[in-house]
Each structure stands twice: as structure tokens, then as C-alpha cells.
């Protein structure tokens, strides 16, 4: 029997497969498309996702293929420079197309031994107390201990589970595509700047080689958003807003997206879980969806591996919903707010001006950037030190960087006292005795996802905390 079937080879499913393989879990990814789409919806990784890649030794692959932006403009497109001294070693957005991110995550997962089966569409599933049966479009049946639906916003898994997806339907729709234009770059830039004075859902971004990524508001909301717009529809909408269609031609691809905003009621039903867009959809404002999905996978991977490995403490797998559902709810809310700030009515424009003024206050700016970038996330681990529940930033140790010690996806006790021990959990938790000028606490216990599970110096206190996340000790 397969340990875990992952439905969907988007960024979420690929990240999850890699995380599972780090723990030796037999993971099979089923992807309905025979080939990658070649369409880049997301264009970047925020600071927390950059950290995630660094924690798994992947950042060296991403950095040369991306471009670092330490500028603002990520909250509702309001262009303010970033605050000083953000709490991360990676205070930038890494501009990198979604297709590249997917390719790198595919390489990583397959190198670790994940099996990715393309052209395999999941169409049915059932579960019993021992496992899950997945049915594919060609009639094949596969059996696994767990199954995770990473199959995007129209998730078949979510629908088959009957999990509610409350929220708001799309009210506005935007056309998006990559194509060439027949006008000089200066002419295009001047017209776009003029239109954007009153319509912020309009833009043209140069991608090189004369290709532009163009967005323009659609007319109404399509019944079936999976159907791509025609070039003629694109041209017609460009003429409505810009008075010209710029002679657009040779489209690489065309698509449409809405502003539907919905959150799955439950992330887990028995042995089946949901992650990424399958669990939450929202408008792309702030560029957060891919990041949120990758971080769902980072939270879920080691917990599911612990279940499969037989050492998970009670409640560990349920903590996935408990921790990640509120994070997604918060992202949905910030995108709702951003959409209001992008509206064209006088009232909305006045609120936008006001928010822009407020962002001149460093604390306001910092608060919004920490939200969008994911570094402000704090899980509720109860009362305690300010670091508890937050992910720890990378810090410099005597022997090198902390994140370089986390590539294997295990727990880690960073012990500046030299008096602590993880005996009994040494198969799950690394014990690093070292010091850092950047860390003013005696010791921290980090979960495999880098979140702080304990802060202190009392060995007995630590012993009381280890089982909550790492299960029972092994006695020799
Ligand atoms: C215009 C636009 C711009 C965006 N920009 C950003 C951005 O800058 N930053 C950001 O973070 N996010 C951005 N996003 C959001 C981002 O693209 C998504 O959040 C992200 O792709 C979600 O990843 P996922 O793996 O959860 O789902 P998906 O990427 O949708 O992947 C799901 C996969 O499952 C497969 N699948 C579906 N059904 C089945 C089935 N039944 N069986 C097997 N396989 C199946 C699909 O073929 C697909 O490969 C943007 C979105 C849009 C529309």
C-alpha cells in the first residue's frame, strides 16, 4: 500500500511530496495534466517561502533564476519602500515565475524519490479505518494510508469529501495573458500609466524578448472560468480601457481569473486532507496564494510523516487545521481589504490615499509587510515567550548558519547552555550545542517547520515539552 497519495502536482503538492520523502514516506503524486501548463500565474516568493527553501537547502537553486526586489508595492500595489530591519535574513521578494518554481520543486521531490505520475486524474475516493481508495479516470484504483488534495481551487478531492467552501463568488474578472505588442515600449508605458490613474486592474509588464504580461478587466464574469479568452476578447477589452489594443499578437497563453474568496470548512476528514488552493481561494493581490500553499505543505509534511512513521503524538495531525486555517482566513481578509483599495469609486480611492499615508508610519508599514510576506505568522502554542509559536529567523552560529542545519526536516534543539539533552528523541530531534550573538535566549526547540516549540533552559521543562510535538521517547 502507498503511504500517501498527493493529488495535484502544483507547487503545494510538489512541496508536500518533497517533505514526505525527507522522512522516507512512500509518496505518489497524481497529476491530471500530461505536461506542465507552461503558464506562470504566480511571479514571486515572499520572505517566508524564501526561508522555507533555505531551510531545505533549495535556495541555491532558486536564487540564480530569480530577481530580488526589496521595494514595496505588495500591499494593494501601494508603492512604499520596505521598513528597516525586518525580522528575516531574506528581506526581499524573489521574483521567479511559477513554472520555474514548479520545475525546481519537481526536481527536488523526484531526487528524494517521490513518484510523480502525470496524466492521472483522480475522479473518486472512499476511505475506511485502514486507508483510502483513489479512483482514476482510466478506472485504476490505488490504495494508500492517507491522501492529500492539492488539486487546486476547483478541487475534486474537496468536492468528493463534501467539505463546505463558504465565502463570496467572483464579482469581477480579469483577463491575463502573455503576448507581443506592435507599438514601441515607450508608447505602451505611457498609455498604461495614464489608464492606471483610474483603473488599477490594468497593466503591462515586460518579460523580455518583446513579450508582455498584460492584464485588463473582463466584461462581466464568465460562467466557466476554465475556458480561456480569445485574443479578440482581449483586444476588445484593451480598446475599452486604453482606446487601443496595442496591436497585440502572438499570444503565448491567455487566461482569466476572478476574485472569488472562499475557505474550506475543514482541512481534514479522516485520512484525507486538503492543502493549498484546494483549501482556500482569494484574489491574487499581494501575490500570496502560492506562498500560502507551499507553507501549508511545510506545516503538514512532517506531521503526516510522523503519523505514517508511527511516532505522532495525539492531536499532531489535527494541529494542521488548527494552525493553518486561521492563517488562510487572515490572508483571505487581507485580500478582501486590498480589493477594496483597488476599487475605482471616490470613497475607495479616498481610503486608499489614507492607507497610503498611514503606511508612512514605520510600524504600520512593518505590520502589513509581515502579514503579506508570511514572517508575522504565530501559531497559538499557549502562553509563553514572545518567540513561542513563531518561526525563528536564520541566525549565524559559530559553526555556520542555523538554516543550513535544518535540511533534513528534523526537529532541532539549539542549545546555548550545553546542559540540555534530547536523549530519547535523538532519532527525531537534532541537538546542536552552539552560540549565536543574534539569539538572546538560552535554548530553543524548533519543530521541523522551524516554528519555536519551546524556549528556556530548564532540562525538566524541556522533557515535559518534547512529547507534545515529537511523541514518546525511545527507551534503550
Ligand atoms: C493571475 C494570478 C496571479 C497570481 N500571482 C501569484 C503570486 O504572485 N504569488 C503567489 O503566491 N500566488 C499567486 N497566485 C496564486 C497561485 O498561482 C496559486 O495559489 C497556486 O498555483 C496554488 O498552488 P496549488 O498547488 O495549491 O494549486 P494549483 O497550482 O492549482 O495546482 C493544482 C494541480 O492539481 C492538478 N489537478 C487538478 N485536479 C486534479 C485531479 N482531479 N487529479 C489530479 N490532478 C489534479 C492541476 O492540474 C494542477 O496541476 C496567482 C494566481 C493568479 C490567478
Amino acid at each position: 500500500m502507498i503511504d500517501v497519495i498527493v493529488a495535484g502536482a502544483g507547487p503545494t503538492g510538489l512541496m508536500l511530496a518533497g517533505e514526505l520523502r525527507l522522512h522516507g514516506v512512500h509518496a505518489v503524486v497524481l497529476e491530471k495534466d500530461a505536461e506542465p501548463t507552461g503558464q506562470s500565474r504566480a511571479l514571486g516568493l515572499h520572505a517566508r517561502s524564501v526561508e522555507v527553501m533555505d531551510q531545505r537547502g533549495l535556495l541555491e537553486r532558486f536564487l540564480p533564476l530569480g530577481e530580488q526586489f526589496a521595494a514595496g508595492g505588495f500591499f494593494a500595489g501601494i508603492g512604499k519602500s520596505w521598513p528597516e530591519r525586518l525580522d528575516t535574513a531574506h528581506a526581499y521578494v524573489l521574483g521567479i515565475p511559477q513554472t520555474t518554481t514548479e520545475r525546481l520543486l519537481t526536481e527536488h521531490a523526484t531526487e528524494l524519490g517521490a513518484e510523480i505520475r502525470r496524466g492521472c486524474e483522480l475522479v473518486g475516493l472512499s476511505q475506511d479505518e485502514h486507508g483510502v481508495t483513489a479512483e482514476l479516470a482510466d478506472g485504476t484504483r490505488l490504495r494508500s494510508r492517507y491522501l492529500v488534495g492539492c488539486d487546486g481551487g476547483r478541487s475534486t478531492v474537496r468536492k468528493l469529501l463534501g467539505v463546505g467552501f463558504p465565502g463570496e463568488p467572483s464579482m469581477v474578472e480579469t483577463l491575463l495573458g502573455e503576448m507581443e505588442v506592435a507599438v514601441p515600449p515607450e508608447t505602451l508605458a505611457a498609455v498604461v500609466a495614464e489608464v492606471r490613474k483610474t483603473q488599477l486592474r490594468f497593466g503591462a509588464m515586460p518579460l523580455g524578448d518583446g513579450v508582455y504580461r498584460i492584464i485588463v478587466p473582463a466584461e462581466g464574469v464568465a460562467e466557466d472560468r476554465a475556458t480561456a479568452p480569445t485574443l479578440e476578447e482581449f483586444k476588445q477589452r484593451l480598446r475599452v480601457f486604453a482606446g487601443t489594443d496595442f496591436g497585440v499578437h502572438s499570444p503565448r497563453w491567455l487566461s482569466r481569473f476572478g476574485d472569488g474568496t472562499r475557505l474550506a470548512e475543514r482541512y481534514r476528514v479522516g485520512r484525507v486532507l486538503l492543502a493549498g488552493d484546494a483549501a482556500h481561494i482569494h484574489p491574487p493581490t499581494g501575490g500570496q496564494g502560492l506562498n500560502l500553499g507551499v507553507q501549508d505543505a511545510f506545516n503538514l509534511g512532517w506531521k503526516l510523516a510522523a503519523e505514517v512513521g508511527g511516532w505522532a503524538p495525539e492531536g499532531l495531525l489535527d494541529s494542521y487545521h488548527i494552525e493553518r486555517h486561521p492563517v488562510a482566513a487572515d490572508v483571505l481578509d487581507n485580500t478582501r481589504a486590498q480589493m477594496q483599495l483597488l476599487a475605482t469609486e471616490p470613497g475607495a480611492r479616498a481610503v486608499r490615499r489614507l492607507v497610503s499615508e498611514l503606511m508612512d508610519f514605520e510600524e504600520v508599514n512593518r505590520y502589513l509587510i509581515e502579514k503579506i510576506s508570511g514572517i508575522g505568522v504565530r501559531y497559538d502554542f499557549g502562553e509563553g515567550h514572545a518567540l513561542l509559536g513563531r518561526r525563528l529567523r536564520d541566525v549565524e552560529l559559530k559553526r555556520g548558519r542555523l538554516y543550513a542545519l535544518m535540511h533534513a526536516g528534523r526537529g532541532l534543539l539549539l542549545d546555548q547552555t550545553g546542559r540540555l539533552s534530547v536523549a530519547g528523541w535523538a532519532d527525531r530531534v537534532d541537538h546542536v550545542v552552539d552560540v549565536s550573538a543574534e539569539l538572546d535566549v538560552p535554548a530553543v526547540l524548533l519543530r521541523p517547520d522551524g516554528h519555536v516549540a519551546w524556549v528556556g533552559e530548564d532540562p525538566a521543562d524541556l522533557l515535559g515539552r518534547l512529547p507534545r510535538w515529537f511523541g514518546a521517547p525511545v527507551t534503550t
Side-chain angles (χ1 to χ4, degrees):
M1 175 150 64
I2 298 164
D3 288 331
V4 179
I5 290 177
V6 177
T12 306
L14 293 166
M15 186 77 210
L16 180 63
E19 287 298 291
L20 291 168
R21 283 305 305 152
L22 281 178
H23 300 274
V25 172
H26 179 203
V28 174
V29 183
L30 304 176
E31 167 56 52
K32 74 173 167 51
D33 291 345
E35 298 292 334
T37 63
Q39 298 188 7
S40 275
R41 287 177 285 160
L43 290 178
L45 297 182
H46 280 294
R48 179 56 191 144
S49 299
V50 172
E51 291 182 346
V52 162
M53 300 310 164
D54 199 17
Q55 280 172 317
R56 292 299 179 259
L58 291 173
L59 194 55
E60 289 71 21
R61 302 186 190 191
F62 279 81
L63 284 182
L65 301 175
E67 201 180 335
Q68 296 176 29
F69 300 98
F74 287 94
F75 188 79
I78 296 173
K80 299 284 169 171
S81 55
W82 275 23
E84 295 287 313
R85 297 180 307 281
L86 273 179
D87 177 33
T88 174
H90 301 284
Y92 54 86
V93 171
L94 184 66
I96 191 161
Q98 182 162 341
T99 46
T100 309
T101 297
E102 289 176 6
R103 178 168 62 75
L104 295 177
L105 292 178
T106 301
E107 284 169 15
H108 174 63
T110 45
E111 281 164 17
L112 289 171
E115 210 183 307
I116 300 174
R117 298 187 193 166
R118 289 197 157 271
C120 291
E121 182 178 4
L122 181 143
V123 294
L125 68 85
S126 57
Q127 58 174 316
D128 54 46
E129 60 178 310
H130 303 295
V132 185
T133 304
E135 189 186 334
L136 308 190
D138 66 2
T140 309
R141 282 169 189 269
L142 295 172
R143 188 87 175 135
S144 62
R145 296 174 67 184
Y146 291 90
L147 185 145
V148 187
C150 301
D151 50 345
R154 298 184 187 94
S155 171
T156 302
V157 174
R158 189 189 65 237
K159 290 173 192 158
L160 288 170
L161 288 175
V163 168
F165 203 37
E168 305 91 63
S170 276
M171 304 302 284
V172 294
E173 189 174 285
T174 309
L175 305 185
L176 165 71
E178 291 181 7
M179 60 203 84
E180 295 178 41
V181 300
V183 296
E186 317 77 64
T187 310
L188 180 69
V191 176
V192 168
E194 190 57 33
V195 177
R196 280 184 60 84
K197 285 181 184 164
T198 52
Q199 177 50 263
L200 290 163
R201 289 194 295 121
F202 184 96
M205 180 201 221
L207 298 175
D209 296 332
V211 179
Y212 286 80
R213 178 177 166 107
I214 296 183
I215 60 165
V216 59
E219 184 178 17
V221 177
E223 293 221 334
D224 176 12
R225 203 160 304 115
T227 308
T230 61
L231 186 62
E232 194 41 52
E233 183 180 353
F234 228 101
K235 284 180 165 176
Q236 190 257 330
R237 296 307 292 166
L238 288 171
R239 288 194 290 267
V240 167
F241 285 90
T244 165
D245 60 21
F246 307 112
V248 292
H249 62 95
S250 312
R252 305 299 190 262
W253 53 270
L254 303 170
S255 71
R256 53 177 96 235
F257 63 91
D259 65 341
T261 307
R262 296 180 181 276
L263 179 57
E265 273 169 350
R266 304 169 64 182
Y267 280 18
R268 177 182 179 193
V269 178
R271 292 177 170 273
V272 184
L273 298 107
L274 297 170
D277 276 16
H280 36 70
I281 56 164
H282 53 79
T285 38
Q288 301 168 89
L290 180 152
N291 288 268
L292 191 59
V294 161
Q295 290 160 38
D296 284 348
F298 207 56
N299 183 289
L300 176 59
W302 68 279
K303 295 175 180 174
L304 200 46
E307 284 288 339
V308 170
W311 58 265
E314 199 176 331
L316 185 69
L317 197 52
D318 283 330
S319 73
Y320 166 62
H321 170 100
I322 293 168
E323 292 170 5
R324 295 304 297 172
H325 193 269
V327 172
D330 194 54
V331 169
L332 262 59
D333 265 353
N334 87 48
T335 58
R336 286 183 178 106
Q338 290 185 72
M339 287 305 283
Q340 294 295 316
L341 296 172
L342 291 174
T344 48
E345 292 78 22
R349 293 175 68 78
V351 177
R352 183 181 176 88
R353 277 193 294 276
L354 189 63
V355 172
S356 174
E357 287 162 18
L358 288 173
M359 284 175 72
D360 288 334
F361 292 96
E362 163 127 353
E363 282 311 302
V364 175
N365 198 7
R366 177 184 306 282
Y367 177 81
L368 293 174
I369 292 295
E370 287 189 352
K371 210 181 241 312
I372 298 276
S373 66
I375 62 172
V377 168
R378 184 179 191 194
Y379 300 141
D380 183 4
F381 294 173
E383 293 287 303
H385 192 278
L387 285 176
L388 193 66
R390 293 176 66 100
R391 99 291 175 242
L392 189 65
R393 63 172 290 165
D394 195 16
V395 294
E396 202 65 49
L397 305 170
K398 280 201 168 152
R399 72 171 68 172
R401 296 190 305 114
L402 171 65
Y403 280 11
L405 303 175
M406 304 184 73
H407 295 179
R410 293 156 52 83
L412 187 147
L413 176 69
L414 176 54
D415 177 6
Q416 304 202 84
T417 72
R419 288 185 284 102
L420 297 167
S421 164
V422 293
W425 289 271
D427 58 332
R428 286 151 273 173
V429 182
D430 292 326
H431 184 189
V432 175
V433 179
D434 205 334
V435 291
S436 171
E438 299 170 71
L439 195 63
D440 62 357
V441 292
V444 284
L445 175 65
L446 302 179
R447 304 192 316 185
D449 61 357
H451 280 256
V452 177
W454 175 83
V455 180
E457 57 186 329
D458 177 4
D461 192 33
L462 173 63
L463 278 183
R465 186 45 59 124
L466 279 158
R468 172 170 174 190
W469 300 112
F470 298 104
V474 174
T475 46
T476 49

XYZ file of all heavy atoms in Angstrom, residues 7-13 30-33 41-44 98 102 120-122 150-152 156 176 213 257 275-277 284 287-291, ligand 1:
304
model
N -2.779 14.373 -4.531
C -3.493 14.680 -5.772
C -3.126 16.086 -6.206
O -3.442 17.057 -5.518
C -5.004 14.559 -5.566
N -2.419 16.218 -7.333
C -2.073 17.537 -7.858
C -0.590 17.844 -7.752
O -0.024 17.821 -6.656
N 0.038 18.110 -8.902
C 1.476 18.457 -8.910
C 1.667 19.939 -9.151
O 2.479 20.356 -9.970
C 2.210 17.630 -9.953
N 0.913 20.761 -8.437
C 1.182 22.201 -8.403
C 2.239 22.434 -7.324
O 2.789 21.476 -6.754
N 2.522 23.703 -7.014
C 3.553 23.985 -6.004
C 3.269 23.326 -4.658
O 4.194 22.839 -3.999
C 3.526 25.509 -5.880
C 2.680 26.027 -6.980
C 1.949 24.907 -7.629
N 2.007 23.276 -4.256
C 1.675 22.711 -2.939
C 1.969 21.215 -2.909
O 2.641 20.715 -1.990
C 0.181 22.953 -2.615
O -0.095 24.350 -2.736
C -0.159 22.488 -1.210
N 1.460 20.488 -3.909
C 1.650 19.041 -3.936
C 3.109 18.659 -4.067
O 3.582 17.698 -3.442
N -0.265 12.289 -8.050
C -1.091 12.074 -9.243
C -1.424 13.427 -9.856
O -1.959 14.301 -9.161
C -2.397 11.366 -8.874
C -2.270 10.036 -8.134
C -3.660 9.516 -7.745
C -1.528 9.016 -8.985
N -1.101 13.609 -11.110
C -1.357 14.895 -11.778
C -2.154 14.634 -13.054
O -1.753 13.829 -13.880
C -0.033 15.590 -12.094
C -0.123 16.772 -13.051
C -1.087 17.867 -12.612
O -0.990 18.336 -11.466
O -1.971 18.252 -13.426
N -3.262 15.351 -13.191
C -4.135 15.075 -14.345
C -3.520 15.520 -15.669
O -3.705 14.862 -16.685
C -5.526 15.690 -14.141
C -5.630 17.179 -14.293
C -7.098 17.585 -14.239
C -7.302 19.069 -14.073
N -6.607 19.959 -14.988
N -2.772 16.615 -15.654
C -2.180 17.096 -16.913
C -0.982 16.230 -17.308
O -0.120 15.943 -16.473
C -1.727 18.555 -16.777
C -2.913 19.504 -16.642
O -4.057 19.075 -16.934
O -2.694 20.654 -16.230
N 1.211 31.759 -13.271
C 0.310 32.690 -12.596
C 1.131 33.483 -11.576
O 1.280 34.680 -11.687
C -0.834 31.917 -11.942
C -1.824 31.386 -12.973
C -2.895 30.571 -12.341
N -2.412 29.263 -11.939
C -2.990 28.479 -11.041
N -4.089 28.879 -10.429
N -2.497 27.294 -10.742
N 1.707 32.794 -10.597
C 2.493 33.493 -9.576
C 3.837 33.929 -10.144
O 4.430 33.243 -10.967
C 2.702 32.588 -8.377
N 4.282 35.086 -9.634
C 5.554 35.614 -10.125
C 6.599 35.763 -9.032
O 7.665 36.300 -9.285
C 5.316 36.986 -10.778
C 4.562 36.977 -12.104
C 4.368 38.391 -12.609
C 5.282 36.132 -13.134
N 6.272 35.314 -7.813
C 7.298 35.529 -6.806
C 7.121 34.762 -5.513
O 6.043 34.260 -5.205
N 6.148 31.060 -11.724
C 5.601 29.844 -11.113
C 6.107 28.587 -11.823
O 6.351 27.562 -11.190
C 4.066 29.900 -11.141
C 3.406 28.691 -10.491
C 1.955 28.919 -10.128
O 1.497 30.066 -10.025
N 1.207 27.861 -9.928
N 7.827 25.466 -9.953
C 7.309 24.092 -10.077
C 8.396 23.156 -10.605
O 8.514 22.020 -10.144
C 6.079 24.072 -10.980
C 4.875 24.721 -10.310
C 3.650 24.802 -11.212
O 3.676 24.252 -12.330
O 2.654 25.428 -10.789
N -2.748 11.409 -14.812
C -3.554 10.590 -13.891
C -4.540 11.489 -13.150
O -4.154 12.203 -12.211
C -2.667 9.893 -12.868
S -1.642 8.619 -13.571
N -5.794 11.461 -13.567
C -6.798 12.316 -12.925
C -7.568 11.535 -11.876
O -8.129 10.475 -12.163
C -7.773 12.852 -13.980
C -8.807 13.781 -13.375
C -9.757 14.362 -14.407
O -9.655 13.984 -15.593
O -10.611 15.179 -14.006
N -7.589 12.062 -10.678
C -8.373 11.436 -9.615
C -9.844 11.804 -9.825
O -10.171 12.982 -9.969
C -7.875 11.921 -8.254
C -8.585 11.344 -7.030
C -7.586 11.122 -5.897
C -9.705 12.270 -6.550
N -4.245 18.338 -3.187
C -3.518 19.581 -3.521
C -3.919 19.913 -4.946
O -3.070 20.295 -5.766
C -2.018 19.378 -3.429
S -1.443 18.858 -1.807
N -5.198 19.733 -5.252
C -5.654 19.763 -6.639
C -6.333 21.075 -7.013
O -7.205 21.101 -7.887
C -6.540 18.544 -6.950
C -7.653 18.323 -5.948
O -7.591 18.920 -4.858
O -8.591 17.570 -6.245
N -5.907 22.165 -6.376
C -6.291 23.494 -6.841
C -7.702 23.930 -6.448
O -8.455 23.200 -5.805
N -11.283 18.477 -6.861
C -12.160 17.302 -6.908
C -12.196 16.630 -5.538
O -13.248 16.185 -5.076
C -11.604 16.300 -7.962
O -11.536 16.971 -9.216
C -12.472 15.071 -8.083
N -5.849 37.800 -18.287
C -4.396 37.783 -18.105
C -3.779 36.984 -19.244
O -4.294 35.921 -19.611
C -4.058 37.104 -16.774
C -2.601 36.676 -16.548
C -1.699 37.881 -16.343
C -2.503 35.755 -15.322
N 3.348 40.678 -20.174
C 2.272 40.061 -19.387
C 1.229 41.164 -19.202
O 1.495 42.183 -18.555
C 2.835 39.610 -18.047
C 1.829 38.979 -17.093
C 2.584 38.537 -15.856
N 1.744 38.219 -14.728
C 1.521 36.972 -14.298
N 2.062 35.948 -14.893
N 0.761 36.762 -13.248
N -8.991 35.277 -14.491
C -9.110 34.917 -13.073
C -10.117 35.840 -12.401
O -10.339 36.972 -12.830
C -7.754 34.953 -12.350
C -7.090 36.315 -12.307
C -7.317 37.188 -11.242
C -6.223 36.711 -13.305
C -6.700 38.430 -11.185
C -5.599 37.949 -13.271
C -5.836 38.808 -12.208
N -4.887 20.928 1.034
C -3.826 21.938 1.186
C -3.774 22.821 -0.056
O -4.166 22.415 -1.148
C -2.476 21.256 1.405
N -3.271 24.031 0.124
C -3.121 24.963 -0.995
C -4.469 25.470 -1.488
O -5.443 25.567 -0.726
N -4.525 25.795 -2.782
C -5.764 26.353 -3.342
C -6.962 25.428 -3.149
O -8.096 25.882 -3.179
C -5.586 26.621 -4.852
C -4.921 27.971 -5.140
O -4.329 28.543 -4.196
O -4.988 28.441 -6.292
N -5.480 37.432 -6.400
C -4.015 37.366 -6.331
C -3.329 38.612 -5.770
O -2.099 38.683 -5.776
C -3.609 37.138 -7.791
C -4.737 37.589 -8.621
C -5.976 37.464 -7.796
N 0.134 38.786 -4.088
C 0.918 37.613 -4.508
C 1.115 36.593 -3.403
O 2.253 36.247 -3.062
N 0.009 36.075 -2.837
C 0.158 35.243 -1.648
C -0.231 33.766 -1.810
O 0.156 32.929 -0.992
C -0.699 35.831 -0.513
C -0.314 37.251 -0.163
C -1.336 37.903 0.741
O -1.253 37.812 1.954
N -2.318 38.556 0.165
N -1.013 33.421 -2.844
C -1.614 32.083 -2.915
C -0.606 30.953 -2.972
O -0.707 29.977 -2.218
N 0.354 31.057 -3.856
C 1.366 30.000 -3.978
C 2.151 29.890 -2.664
O 2.420 28.793 -2.174
C 2.290 30.322 -5.151
C 3.423 29.350 -5.460
C 3.770 29.406 -6.948
C 4.668 29.633 -4.648
N 2.495 31.042 -2.127
C 3.245 31.070 -0.873
C 2.473 30.370 0.250
O 3.028 29.578 1.006
C 3.528 32.527 -0.482
C 4.571 33.181 -1.381
O 5.750 33.152 -1.083
N 4.142 33.752 -2.487
C -3.219 35.919 -12.075
C -2.683 35.225 -10.883
C -1.513 35.672 -10.310
C -1.013 35.054 -9.182
N 0.127 35.539 -8.631
C 0.589 34.988 -7.505
C 1.795 35.468 -6.914
O 2.452 36.372 -7.416
N 2.219 34.870 -5.774
C 1.548 33.829 -5.211
O 1.960 33.338 -4.153
N 0.427 33.331 -5.762
C -0.069 33.875 -6.897
N -1.174 33.355 -7.471
C -1.828 32.170 -6.892
C -1.102 30.869 -7.274
O -0.995 30.754 -8.661
C -1.874 29.688 -6.690
O -2.220 29.972 -5.368
C -1.050 28.406 -6.738
O -0.901 27.933 -8.043
C -1.701 27.299 -5.891
O -0.922 26.150 -5.950
P -1.592 24.728 -5.701
O -0.503 23.744 -5.909
O -2.313 24.743 -4.407
O -2.706 24.589 -6.839
P -2.518 24.587 -8.418
O -1.355 25.391 -8.823
O -3.853 24.944 -8.973
O -2.179 23.083 -8.767
C -3.159 22.075 -8.693
C -2.742 20.921 -9.581
O -3.670 19.859 -9.423
C -3.973 19.305 -10.685
N -5.288 18.671 -10.582
C -6.490 19.281 -10.511
N -7.467 18.372 -10.370
C -6.873 17.160 -10.356
C -7.361 15.825 -10.251
N -8.664 15.573 -10.110
N -6.467 14.800 -10.265
C -5.132 15.051 -10.408
N -4.623 16.298 -10.531
C -5.483 17.348 -10.486
C -3.930 20.503 -11.620
O -3.731 20.106 -12.956
C -2.749 21.283 -11.060
O -1.537 20.875 -11.651
C -1.703 33.958 -8.622
C -2.874 33.486 -9.203
C -3.364 34.120 -10.324
C -4.631 33.622 -10.944
